[in-house]
Amino acid sequence: MVHRRERYRRQFTLLSDAQHDWSIDDAITENLALPGLLRDYLSQLADAAECETAFEVLQSLTVCDPTVGSGAFLFAALDVLEPLYAEVLARAEEFEAGGEPVPGFLAKSRTHPSSRYWLIKTICLHNLFGVDLMQEAPEIAKLRLFLKLAAQIDRVEDLEPLPDLDFNIKCGNLLVGIADDTDATERLFSQRLDHVAQLQQVKDTSKQIADAFDDYIAAEAADTGQLDHTGPKQKLNAKLQEARNLADKLLHDMRDETDDFEAWRRSHQPFHWFVEFPSVWRNRGFDVVIGNPPYIKKSLVTDYTWVGYKTEKCPDLYAVCMERATTLLNAHGRFAMIVMHSLCFSRHFTQLREYIDQRFGAYWVSSYSRIPDALFGGSVRVRNSILIAHSSEESAQRAMTRCMRWTAAGRNQLFDLLEYGVVHKRTHVTTLGTGSPSQWPFQDRSVRSIFEKMLRAETSLGAALAKDGGHLLGFKTTAQYMLGVFVSLPPTVDAVTGQRARVGSKRHQWLHFIDPATRDLSLLALSGRWGYIWWLMYGDEFDVTRSTLAAFPGDIEGLAKRTPGDMELVILLDLSRTLQDEMPEHLAWKLNAGVNVGRYNMLKLRHITDRADWLLARAWGLDETAFEAAGNLRDRMVFGNKE
């Protein structure tokens, strides 16, 4: 089977031109519609042998959600796989209609009243796997799949026994347990001879279970209601329990647990992947791992403990869940998980980013805002990132999107509009003198092209900053549609008395500059498109930090040091003074706890900042294409801001 899958994978060259054969990784980077392309490919299979191979490859594909919850991701996987199976089945029927030889699976499908029911049953039994810590979650996931199956039957008399998915979707703890012998030695550091011997005993038992498991699933798949599977299932469960007991006792000893064994087992619910899914571990893991791990502060998890993870210092449980999930892939596996977008920028998740960078040969990160609309509805309104990754070392692509904003009306087109920008040299904020050493930029191809030339110059606004004193430029510490930068603090007024009110210092901070020229030029750079798009690239979509602004790659100091009388410099400084004079004339107010809080409405001053943006672009050697692209992107990100 393995060599047939490899042959089929090599044949899967969906797109090609005279100079370049497209890989799947290339297709992901270009955001091509892979399901549709694959259906087109399958609809043109040459003969029965190719049909049989395609069917075997599809049937052997293993997809796991290790935090399965109610089964939404497995349900989505089914929705992807079903049309592919259906295309192969339809192609086989075309051969039959033309009097040509047909693949063997076509006859099997005819033994069932509904070929669609048989097809979905095949997917459920052979392709879909899941695990969850909550006892009720696997039952809900199985129920959703059962309802999908039942919906394919038009007549009650055609309803077959529902497949037994107890061996596919299980209850257990993703973070506690032994994945395989490699996991035992590398993560749990087990080198004791007695541990090695016990582990080998568990492996031998699991190999026996794999054969019994395959036989049981084959019988389930073929059954149309004529067979009683109670006996074989009981025997299989007995063998599984024997292996579980051995593995649980081994792990309890390896972790040097002092709690009573049975109490520890109840609280930790260890899950040993090579025991529970032995036929999958013949290929050393799953082909695809997907999911949405829990977003929970680790400090709130007190019922159980885990050991040996490289992302241990990350504060949220999703980090260690992601790390663990990546170890469940086989050598050519594909990975996709949706998590909070702190994955990309937070210094607290540096370990996770570094782990992903070392673990995967290629990965793609798309990110999503929560305003105006969010990926998750209801109360779960968080900013998200989706990581797609490939464990093979065949390519070394690193690609990101900008942080997407969209309205509810554009939701259906959201993923179609993704554009990845390949990060060739891993442009990190730290190389420009700030914070985290592995921050991932929110950048698509357009955003990368805007700053590419500036970044090559290795300059930054930070070079013009002083430690204290000097000339001040203030900034608001939060943003959405523009950066709030100013020389004079915007006013706050008591709503009752009309008198000026004092506000806390946390809302605003100050940058200190060497001279007034660098301060005034920095005001122009940050208040227009250049500063805003830089913040979109390296900010978190809410907070504005000193380090992000200091890393802005414009050469402010060099511009300020131009020869006195340089016309571009003279015009820019004049524009900055005009902007400072005009800003108090364009205030927007928001009532907060009895105080009218003012902010400068920079949208009313676009005629000044756009002119400054153009002159700064010329000074930094940027062309008109970059200027227009930056303006278009800024305007696309400002949804519904009519002020």
PDB file of all heavy atoms in Angstrom, residues 533-560:
ATOM      1  N   ILE A 533       0.481  50.862   8.324  1.00  0.00           N
ATOM      2  CA  ILE A 533       0.666  49.530   7.742  1.00  0.00           C
ATOM      3  C   ILE A 533       1.789  48.788   8.453  1.00  0.00           C
ATOM      4  O   ILE A 533       1.724  47.564   8.634  1.00  0.00           O
ATOM      5  CB  ILE A 533       0.924  49.638   6.230  1.00  0.00           C
ATOM      6  CG1 ILE A 533      -0.329  50.201   5.549  1.00  0.00           C
ATOM      7  CG2 ILE A 533       1.273  48.287   5.631  1.00  0.00           C
ATOM      8  CD1 ILE A 533      -0.164  50.489   4.086  1.00  0.00           C
ATOM      9  N   TRP A 534       2.815  49.500   8.896  1.00  0.00           N
ATOM     10  CA  TRP A 534       3.856  48.851   9.690  1.00  0.00           C
ATOM     11  C   TRP A 534       3.261  48.277  10.969  1.00  0.00           C
ATOM     12  O   TRP A 534       3.578  47.153  11.368  1.00  0.00           O
ATOM     13  CB  TRP A 534       4.958  49.854  10.026  1.00  0.00           C
ATOM     14  CG  TRP A 534       6.014  49.265  10.914  1.00  0.00           C
ATOM     15  CD1 TRP A 534       6.182  49.477  12.259  1.00  0.00           C
ATOM     16  CD2 TRP A 534       7.030  48.347  10.526  1.00  0.00           C
ATOM     17  NE1 TRP A 534       7.247  48.756  12.733  1.00  0.00           N
ATOM     18  CE2 TRP A 534       7.785  48.041  11.685  1.00  0.00           C
ATOM     19  CE3 TRP A 534       7.385  47.749   9.314  1.00  0.00           C
ATOM     20  CZ2 TRP A 534       8.868  47.172  11.662  1.00  0.00           C
ATOM     21  CZ3 TRP A 534       8.461  46.877   9.290  1.00  0.00           C
ATOM     22  CH2 TRP A 534       9.188  46.602  10.451  1.00  0.00           C
ATOM     23  N   TRP A 535       2.392  49.047  11.623  1.00  0.00           N
ATOM     24  CA  TRP A 535       1.749  48.550  12.836  1.00  0.00           C
ATOM     25  C   TRP A 535       0.855  47.344  12.527  1.00  0.00           C
ATOM     26  O   TRP A 535       0.828  46.374  13.296  1.00  0.00           O
ATOM     27  CB  TRP A 535       0.925  49.663  13.477  1.00  0.00           C
ATOM     28  CG  TRP A 535       0.085  49.196  14.624  1.00  0.00           C
ATOM     29  CD1 TRP A 535       0.513  48.855  15.872  1.00  0.00           C
ATOM     30  CD2 TRP A 535      -1.331  48.991  14.608  1.00  0.00           C
ATOM     31  NE1 TRP A 535      -0.549  48.451  16.643  1.00  0.00           N
ATOM     32  CE2 TRP A 535      -1.693  48.530  15.898  1.00  0.00           C
ATOM     33  CE3 TRP A 535      -2.323  49.158  13.652  1.00  0.00           C
ATOM     34  CZ2 TRP A 535      -3.009  48.232  16.238  1.00  0.00           C
ATOM     35  CZ3 TRP A 535      -3.638  48.869  13.985  1.00  0.00           C
ATOM     36  CH2 TRP A 535      -3.967  48.406  15.263  1.00  0.00           C
ATOM     37  N   LEU A 536       0.141  47.368  11.405  1.00  0.00           N
ATOM     38  CA  LEU A 536      -0.654  46.209  11.021  1.00  0.00           C
ATOM     39  C   LEU A 536       0.225  44.980  10.814  1.00  0.00           C
ATOM     40  O   LEU A 536      -0.182  43.848  11.081  1.00  0.00           O
ATOM     41  CB  LEU A 536      -1.414  46.481   9.718  1.00  0.00           C
ATOM     42  CG  LEU A 536      -2.595  47.451   9.777  1.00  0.00           C
ATOM     43  CD1 LEU A 536      -3.152  47.664   8.379  1.00  0.00           C
ATOM     44  CD2 LEU A 536      -3.682  46.940  10.709  1.00  0.00           C
ATOM     45  N   MET A 537       1.427  45.191  10.370  1.00  0.00           N
ATOM     46  CA  MET A 537       2.346  44.097  10.069  1.00  0.00           C
ATOM     47  C   MET A 537       2.932  43.490  11.341  1.00  0.00           C
ATOM     48  O   MET A 537       3.109  42.271  11.440  1.00  0.00           O
ATOM     49  CB  MET A 537       3.459  44.633   9.174  1.00  0.00           C
ATOM     50  CG  MET A 537       4.405  43.607   8.594  1.00  0.00           C
ATOM     51  SD  MET A 537       5.524  44.457   7.432  1.00  0.00           S
ATOM     52  CE  MET A 537       6.655  43.142   7.029  1.00  0.00           C
ATOM     53  N   TYR A 538       3.228  44.305  12.341  1.00  0.00           N
ATOM     54  CA  TYR A 538       3.916  43.824  13.528  1.00  0.00           C
ATOM     55  C   TYR A 538       3.173  44.075  14.836  1.00  0.00           C
ATOM     56  O   TYR A 538       3.665  43.711  15.901  1.00  0.00           O
ATOM     57  CB  TYR A 538       5.310  44.438  13.625  1.00  0.00           C
ATOM     58  CG  TYR A 538       6.310  43.737  12.750  1.00  0.00           C
ATOM     59  CD1 TYR A 538       6.835  44.357  11.626  1.00  0.00           C
ATOM     60  CD2 TYR A 538       6.720  42.447  13.050  1.00  0.00           C
ATOM     61  CE1 TYR A 538       7.741  43.704  10.820  1.00  0.00           C
ATOM     62  CE2 TYR A 538       7.631  41.786  12.260  1.00  0.00           C
ATOM     63  CZ  TYR A 538       8.138  42.418  11.141  1.00  0.00           C
ATOM     64  OH  TYR A 538       9.044  41.758  10.348  1.00  0.00           O
ATOM     65  N   GLY A 539       2.003  44.681  14.779  1.00  0.00           N
ATOM     66  CA  GLY A 539       1.224  44.868  15.993  1.00  0.00           C
ATOM     67  C   GLY A 539       0.332  43.671  16.256  1.00  0.00           C
ATOM     68  O   GLY A 539       0.357  42.669  15.552  1.00  0.00           O
ATOM     69  N   ASP A 540      -0.488  43.807  17.292  1.00  0.00           N
ATOM     70  CA  ASP A 540      -1.402  42.713  17.633  1.00  0.00           C
ATOM     71  C   ASP A 540      -2.845  43.074  17.293  1.00  0.00           C
ATOM     72  O   ASP A 540      -3.772  42.428  17.773  1.00  0.00           O
ATOM     73  CB  ASP A 540      -1.281  42.351  19.115  1.00  0.00           C
ATOM     74  CG  ASP A 540      -1.748  43.481  20.040  1.00  0.00           C
ATOM     75  OD1 ASP A 540      -2.092  44.570  19.531  1.00  0.00           O
ATOM     76  OD2 ASP A 540      -1.769  43.275  21.267  1.00  0.00           O
ATOM     77  N   GLU A 541      -3.036  44.122  16.489  1.00  0.00           N
ATOM     78  CA  GLU A 541      -4.352  44.584  16.061  1.00  0.00           C
ATOM     79  C   GLU A 541      -5.080  45.354  17.154  1.00  0.00           C
ATOM     80  O   GLU A 541      -6.246  45.687  16.988  1.00  0.00           O
ATOM     81  CB  GLU A 541      -5.229  43.406  15.613  1.00  0.00           C
ATOM     82  CG  GLU A 541      -5.215  43.179  14.127  1.00  0.00           C
ATOM     83  CD  GLU A 541      -6.575  43.494  13.534  1.00  0.00           C
ATOM     84  OE1 GLU A 541      -7.571  42.969  14.012  1.00  0.00           O
ATOM     85  OE2 GLU A 541      -6.626  44.289  12.583  1.00  0.00           O
ATOM     86  N   PHE A 542      -4.418  45.651  18.238  1.00  0.00           N
ATOM     87  CA  PHE A 542      -5.055  46.451  19.286  1.00  0.00           C
ATOM     88  C   PHE A 542      -4.032  47.343  19.988  1.00  0.00           C
ATOM     89  O   PHE A 542      -4.159  48.556  19.982  1.00  0.00           O
ATOM     90  CB  PHE A 542      -5.749  45.540  20.304  1.00  0.00           C
ATOM     91  CG  PHE A 542      -6.461  46.295  21.395  1.00  0.00           C
ATOM     92  CD1 PHE A 542      -7.655  46.936  21.126  1.00  0.00           C
ATOM     93  CD2 PHE A 542      -5.933  46.361  22.681  1.00  0.00           C
ATOM     94  CE1 PHE A 542      -8.323  47.653  22.128  1.00  0.00           C
ATOM     95  CE2 PHE A 542      -6.580  47.068  23.683  1.00  0.00           C
ATOM     96  CZ  PHE A 542      -7.784  47.708  23.403  1.00  0.00           C
ATOM     97  N   ASP A 543      -3.009  46.742  20.574  1.00  0.00           N
ATOM     98  CA  ASP A 543      -2.033  47.509  21.337  1.00  0.00           C
ATOM     99  C   ASP A 543      -1.011  48.175  20.416  1.00  0.00           C
ATOM    100  O   ASP A 543      -0.608  47.606  19.400  1.00  0.00           O
ATOM    101  CB  ASP A 543      -1.301  46.599  22.317  1.00  0.00           C
ATOM    102  CG  ASP A 543      -2.236  45.997  23.349  1.00  0.00           C
ATOM    103  OD1 ASP A 543      -2.736  46.751  24.192  1.00  0.00           O
ATOM    104  OD2 ASP A 543      -2.481  44.772  23.293  1.00  0.00           O
ATOM    105  N   VAL A 544      -0.598  49.355  20.810  1.00  0.00           N
ATOM    106  CA  VAL A 544       0.497  50.054  20.139  1.00  0.00           C
ATOM    107  C   VAL A 544       1.635  50.162  21.145  1.00  0.00           C
ATOM    108  O   VAL A 544       1.460  50.700  22.237  1.00  0.00           O
ATOM    109  CB  VAL A 544       0.076  51.457  19.666  1.00  0.00           C
ATOM    110  CG1 VAL A 544       1.233  52.153  18.951  1.00  0.00           C
ATOM    111  CG2 VAL A 544      -1.148  51.379  18.760  1.00  0.00           C
ATOM    112  N   THR A 545       2.790  49.638  20.787  1.00  0.00           N
ATOM    113  CA  THR A 545       3.908  49.610  21.720  1.00  0.00           C
ATOM    114  C   THR A 545       5.064  50.472  21.221  1.00  0.00           C
ATOM    115  O   THR A 545       5.225  50.699  20.016  1.00  0.00           O
ATOM    116  CB  THR A 545       4.421  48.168  21.920  1.00  0.00           C
ATOM    117  OG1 THR A 545       4.953  47.678  20.682  1.00  0.00           O
ATOM    118  CG2 THR A 545       3.295  47.249  22.382  1.00  0.00           C
ATOM    119  N   ARG A 546       5.852  50.898  22.159  1.00  0.00           N
ATOM    120  CA  ARG A 546       7.037  51.694  21.838  1.00  0.00           C
ATOM    121  C   ARG A 546       7.980  50.909  20.921  1.00  0.00           C
ATOM    122  O   ARG A 546       8.553  51.451  19.979  1.00  0.00           O
ATOM    123  CB  ARG A 546       7.743  52.059  23.146  1.00  0.00           C
ATOM    124  CG  ARG A 546       8.981  52.917  22.998  1.00  0.00           C
ATOM    125  CD  ARG A 546       9.663  53.084  24.357  1.00  0.00           C
ATOM    126  NE  ARG A 546       8.706  53.495  25.365  1.00  0.00           N
ATOM    127  CZ  ARG A 546       8.389  54.786  25.606  1.00  0.00           C
ATOM    128  NH1 ARG A 546       8.981  55.740  24.909  1.00  0.00           N
ATOM    129  NH2 ARG A 546       7.518  55.092  26.541  1.00  0.00           N
ATOM    130  N   SER A 547       8.132  49.613  21.191  1.00  0.00           N
ATOM    131  CA  SER A 547       9.082  48.816  20.416  1.00  0.00           C
ATOM    132  C   SER A 547       8.657  48.694  18.955  1.00  0.00           C
ATOM    133  O   SER A 547       9.501  48.748  18.050  1.00  0.00           O
ATOM    134  CB  SER A 547       9.236  47.429  21.039  1.00  0.00           C
ATOM    135  OG  SER A 547       8.003  46.748  21.076  1.00  0.00           O
ATOM    136  N   THR A 548       7.357  48.545  18.704  1.00  0.00           N
ATOM    137  CA  THR A 548       6.887  48.439  17.323  1.00  0.00           C
ATOM    138  C   THR A 548       7.124  49.740  16.565  1.00  0.00           C
ATOM    139  O   THR A 548       7.556  49.733  15.409  1.00  0.00           O
ATOM    140  CB  THR A 548       5.390  48.077  17.292  1.00  0.00           C
ATOM    141  OG1 THR A 548       5.193  46.838  17.975  1.00  0.00           O
ATOM    142  CG2 THR A 548       4.902  47.934  15.859  1.00  0.00           C
ATOM    143  N   LEU A 549       6.846  50.864  17.206  1.00  0.00           N
ATOM    144  CA  LEU A 549       7.061  52.158  16.545  1.00  0.00           C
ATOM    145  C   LEU A 549       8.553  52.413  16.335  1.00  0.00           C
ATOM    146  O   LEU A 549       8.969  52.915  15.288  1.00  0.00           O
ATOM    147  CB  LEU A 549       6.445  53.282  17.375  1.00  0.00           C
ATOM    148  CG  LEU A 549       4.926  53.208  17.613  1.00  0.00           C
ATOM    149  CD1 LEU A 549       4.445  54.437  18.375  1.00  0.00           C
ATOM    150  CD2 LEU A 549       4.168  53.052  16.308  1.00  0.00           C
ATOM    151  N   ALA A 550       9.368  52.049  17.315  1.00  0.00           N
ATOM    152  CA  ALA A 550      10.815  52.269  17.187  1.00  0.00           C
ATOM    153  C   ALA A 550      11.410  51.434  16.066  1.00  0.00           C
ATOM    154  O   ALA A 550      12.412  51.814  15.452  1.00  0.00           O
ATOM    155  CB  ALA A 550      11.513  51.937  18.508  1.00  0.00           C
ATOM    156  N   ALA A 551      10.787  50.300  15.771  1.00  0.00           N
ATOM    157  CA  ALA A 551      11.307  49.421  14.719  1.00  0.00           C
ATOM    158  C   ALA A 551      10.884  49.860  13.324  1.00  0.00           C
ATOM    159  O   ALA A 551      11.342  49.270  12.336  1.00  0.00           O
ATOM    160  CB  ALA A 551      10.821  47.990  14.968  1.00  0.00           C
ATOM    161  N   PHE A 552      10.036  50.869  13.213  1.00  0.00           N
ATOM    162  CA  PHE A 552       9.609  51.345  11.899  1.00  0.00           C
ATOM    163  C   PHE A 552      10.837  51.611  11.026  1.00  0.00           C
ATOM    164  O   PHE A 552      11.750  52.341  11.434  1.00  0.00           O
ATOM    165  CB  PHE A 552       8.774  52.619  12.047  1.00  0.00           C
ATOM    166  CG  PHE A 552       8.362  53.213  10.739  1.00  0.00           C
ATOM    167  CD1 PHE A 552       7.338  52.657  10.003  1.00  0.00           C
ATOM    168  CD2 PHE A 552       9.019  54.327  10.225  1.00  0.00           C
ATOM    169  CE1 PHE A 552       6.953  53.194   8.785  1.00  0.00           C
ATOM    170  CE2 PHE A 552       8.654  54.878   9.009  1.00  0.00           C
ATOM    171  CZ  PHE A 552       7.616  54.300   8.282  1.00  0.00           C
ATOM    172  N   PRO A 553      10.903  51.032   9.804  1.00  0.00           N
ATOM    173  CA  PRO A 553      12.162  51.016   9.052  1.00  0.00           C
ATOM    174  C   PRO A 553      12.471  52.262   8.236  1.00  0.00           C
ATOM    175  O   PRO A 553      13.387  52.234   7.413  1.00  0.00           O
ATOM    176  CB  PRO A 553      11.980  49.796   8.136  1.00  0.00           C
ATOM    177  CG  PRO A 553      10.510  49.744   7.889  1.00  0.00           C
ATOM    178  CD  PRO A 553       9.870  50.181   9.164  1.00  0.00           C
ATOM    179  N   GLY A 554      11.752  53.349   8.454  1.00  0.00           N
ATOM    180  CA  GLY A 554      12.075  54.573   7.729  1.00  0.00           C
ATOM    181  C   GLY A 554      13.315  55.254   8.301  1.00  0.00           C
ATOM    182  O   GLY A 554      13.497  55.317   9.516  1.00  0.00           O
ATOM    183  N   ASP A 555      14.162  55.770   7.433  1.00  0.00           N
ATOM    184  CA  ASP A 555      15.398  56.432   7.871  1.00  0.00           C
ATOM    185  C   ASP A 555      15.084  57.881   8.226  1.00  0.00           C
ATOM    186  O   ASP A 555      15.332  58.812   7.453  1.00  0.00           O
ATOM    187  CB  ASP A 555      16.444  56.353   6.766  1.00  0.00           C
ATOM    188  CG  ASP A 555      17.792  56.921   7.211  1.00  0.00           C
ATOM    189  OD1 ASP A 555      17.926  57.230   8.415  1.00  0.00           O
ATOM    190  OD2 ASP A 555      18.681  57.049   6.362  1.00  0.00           O
ATOM    191  N   ILE A 556      14.527  58.080   9.415  1.00  0.00           N
ATOM    192  CA  ILE A 556      14.160  59.422   9.872  1.00  0.00           C
ATOM    193  C   ILE A 556      15.405  60.259  10.144  1.00  0.00           C
ATOM    194  O   ILE A 556      15.497  61.431   9.753  1.00  0.00           O
ATOM    195  CB  ILE A 556      13.293  59.329  11.145  1.00  0.00           C
ATOM    196  CG1 ILE A 556      12.004  58.540  10.864  1.00  0.00           C
ATOM    197  CG2 ILE A 556      12.980  60.726  11.679  1.00  0.00           C
ATOM    198  CD1 ILE A 556      11.090  59.182   9.879  1.00  0.00           C
ATOM    199  N   GLU A 557      16.369  59.661  10.804  1.00  0.00           N
ATOM    200  CA  GLU A 557      17.579  60.395  11.173  1.00  0.00           C
ATOM    201  C   GLU A 557      18.332  60.868   9.936  1.00  0.00           C
ATOM    202  O   GLU A 557      18.777  62.023   9.854  1.00  0.00           O
ATOM    203  CB  GLU A 557      18.471  59.514  12.030  1.00  0.00           C
ATOM    204  CG  GLU A 557      19.655  60.253  12.643  1.00  0.00           C
ATOM    205  CD  GLU A 557      20.485  59.349  13.534  1.00  0.00           C
ATOM    206  OE1 GLU A 557      20.677  58.170  13.170  1.00  0.00           O
ATOM    207  OE2 GLU A 557      20.946  59.828  14.581  1.00  0.00           O
ATOM    208  N   GLY A 558      18.461  59.996   8.932  1.00  0.00           N
ATOM    209  CA  GLY A 558      19.166  60.384   7.710  1.00  0.00           C
ATOM    210  C   GLY A 558      18.453  61.491   6.968  1.00  0.00           C
ATOM    211  O   GLY A 558      19.085  62.402   6.411  1.00  0.00           O
ATOM    212  N   LEU A 559      17.109  61.426   6.956  1.00  0.00           N
ATOM    213  CA  LEU A 559      16.333  62.467   6.288  1.00  0.00           C
ATOM    214  C   LEU A 559      16.501  63.805   7.001  1.00  0.00           C
ATOM    215  O   LEU A 559      16.657  64.859   6.360  1.00  0.00           O
ATOM    216  CB  LEU A 559      14.858  62.051   6.258  1.00  0.00           C
ATOM    217  CG  LEU A 559      13.878  62.974   5.535  1.00  0.00           C
ATOM    218  CD1 LEU A 559      14.297  63.196   4.085  1.00  0.00           C
ATOM    219  CD2 LEU A 559      12.472  62.373   5.594  1.00  0.00           C
ATOM    220  N   ALA A 560      16.498  63.781   8.316  1.00  0.00           N
ATOM    221  CA  ALA A 560      16.625  65.027   9.076  1.00  0.00           C
ATOM    222  C   ALA A 560      18.002  65.660   8.918  1.00  0.00           C
ATOM    223  O   ALA A 560      18.156  66.877   9.115  1.00  0.00           O
ATOM    224  CB  ALA A 560      16.347  64.754  10.549  1.00  0.00           C
TER     225      ALA A 560
END
